[in-house]
C-alpha cells in the first residue's frame, strides 16, 4: 500500500510530535506515527530521530507503525560519553520492550546497521526482518582512514539542506562522544553478527556513496542468509535523505514481501534484482 495525501498528512502531524519513554534508566526521546506492523528506524552516528524527516511519515502512511528513537547520548536523549555496539543494541531492545512492539522490523543507517545486526543476532525472536542502509563494518586495515576520507568526500555530494540538520546533531553529541562511539564501532565484528542473523534481510547502498562501497555492501549481503541487495541510483551516503523516494519505495517493497503469507517461506540466497 502506498500513501495517499490524507494518510500522509495525518502521519506527518503525528511525526511532528516528540515523545519520551523511560527505558533502563534512560529517558529516551522518540518520534512515531501510523498503525500496523512495527518498523523501528535507528539513526546513524551522531544523528537523531530528526534525521528520518523524509522517511517516517511516508512509511507510516503506507500502513506501518514507524518509530525512531534518539539513542542514549544523541539527539535530545542524555547518555554516557559513549556506547558500544552491544550497548546500543541493548538500548534499542529496551525501547522496543517498553513500547510493547513484539516482533518488529529494524532499519539501521550507517553505524547503526551494526547495532541492528547485533540485536537481530542476539535476540532472533525480536526481529521479523532487518534493513541495513549504507552498512559499516569494514574489516580491512586502515578502515578508519578510509572511512574518514569517505566522509569528507561525501559532504559535497549531499543536499545543502542536510548540513544544518547534521551539524545540530553533531554539536549536541560533541566530538568526544561522536569519536568514541565511532571507534567502538570499529571494534565490533559486523560479519560475525551477520552470520548469526536468521531474519530476512535487505542491504541498501547509494550508487554514489564514498563511505560504503557497493563492493562492501555486496559482501555484507552475502554474509547474511538469503539477503537481497538494492542499489539506490543517484544516492550518496545519506541515501535516506538525498533520495528519499527511491529509499522509501525500496523499503516498502521489502516490507510488503515480509508481511505477506509467503514471507514464511525461505528466501533464495541469490542476490535478486540489483537496481
Amino acid at each position: 500500500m502506498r500513501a495517499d495525501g490524507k494518510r500522509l498528512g495525518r502521519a506527518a502531524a503525528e511525526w511532528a510530535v516528540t515523545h519520551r519513554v523511560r527505558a533502563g534508566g534512560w529517558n529516551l526521546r522518540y518520534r512515531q506515527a501510523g498503525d500496523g506492523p512495527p518498523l523501528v528506524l535507528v539513526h546513524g552516528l551522531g544523528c537523531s530521530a530528526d534525521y528520518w524527516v523524509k522517511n517516517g511519515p511516508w512509511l507510516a502512511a503506507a500502513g506501518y507503525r514507524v518509530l525512531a528513537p534518539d539513542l542514549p547520548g544523541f539527539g535530545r536523549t542524555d547518555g554516557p560519553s559513549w556506547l558500544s555496539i552491544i550497548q546500543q543494541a541493548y538500548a534499542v531492545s529496551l525501547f522496543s520492550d517498553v513500547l510493547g512492539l513484539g516482533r518488529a522490523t529494524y532499519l539501521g543507517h550507517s553505524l547503526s546497521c551494526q547495532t541492528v545486526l547485533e540485536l537481530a543476532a542476539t535476540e532472533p525472536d525480536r526481529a521479523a526482518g532487518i534493513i541495513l542502509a549504507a552498512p559499516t563494518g569494514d574489516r580491512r586495515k586502515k578502515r578508519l582512514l578510509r572511512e574518514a576520507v569517505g566522509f569528507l568526500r561525501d559532504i559535497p555530494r549531499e543536499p545543502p539542506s542536510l548540513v544544518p540538520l547534521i551539524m545540530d546533531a553533531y554539536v549536541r553529541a560533541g566530538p568526544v562522544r561522536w569519536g568514541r562511539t565511532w571507534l567502538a564501532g570499529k571494534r565490533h565484528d559486523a560479519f560475525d553478527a551477520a552470520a548469526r542473523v536468521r531474519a530476512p534481510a535487505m542491504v541498501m547502498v547509494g550508487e554514489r556513496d564514498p563511505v560504503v562501497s557497493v563492493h562492501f555492501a555486496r559482501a555484507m549481503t552475502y554474509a547474511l542468509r538469503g539477503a537481497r541487495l538494492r542499489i539506490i541510483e543517484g544516492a550518496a551516503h545519506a541515501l535516506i535523505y538525498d533520495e528519499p523516494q527511491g529509499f522509501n519505495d525500496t523499503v516498502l517493497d521489502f516490507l510488503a514481501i515480509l508481511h505477506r503469507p509467503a514471507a514464511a517461506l525461505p528466501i533464495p540466497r541469490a542476490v535478486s534484482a540489483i537496481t
Side-chain angles (χ1 to χ4, degrees), residues 26 45 72-74 79-88 173 176-185 187:
W26 293 308
L45 176 62
F74 296 101
S81 60
W82 67 283
L83 288 178
S84 69
I85 295 297
I86 292 174
Q87 289 171 320
Q88 290 183 45
V176 173
R177 179 179 287 115
W178 192 99
R180 294 189 70 181
T181 304
W182 180 41
L183 292 174
R187 295 191 291 270

Side-chain angles (χ1 to χ4, degrees), residues 51-71:
Y51 194 33
W52 303 99
V53 62
K54 294 186 177 184
N55 318 108
W58 280 263
L59 298 173
Y64 298 93
R65 182 186 179 190
V66 184
L67 308 98
D70 287 352
L71 291 174

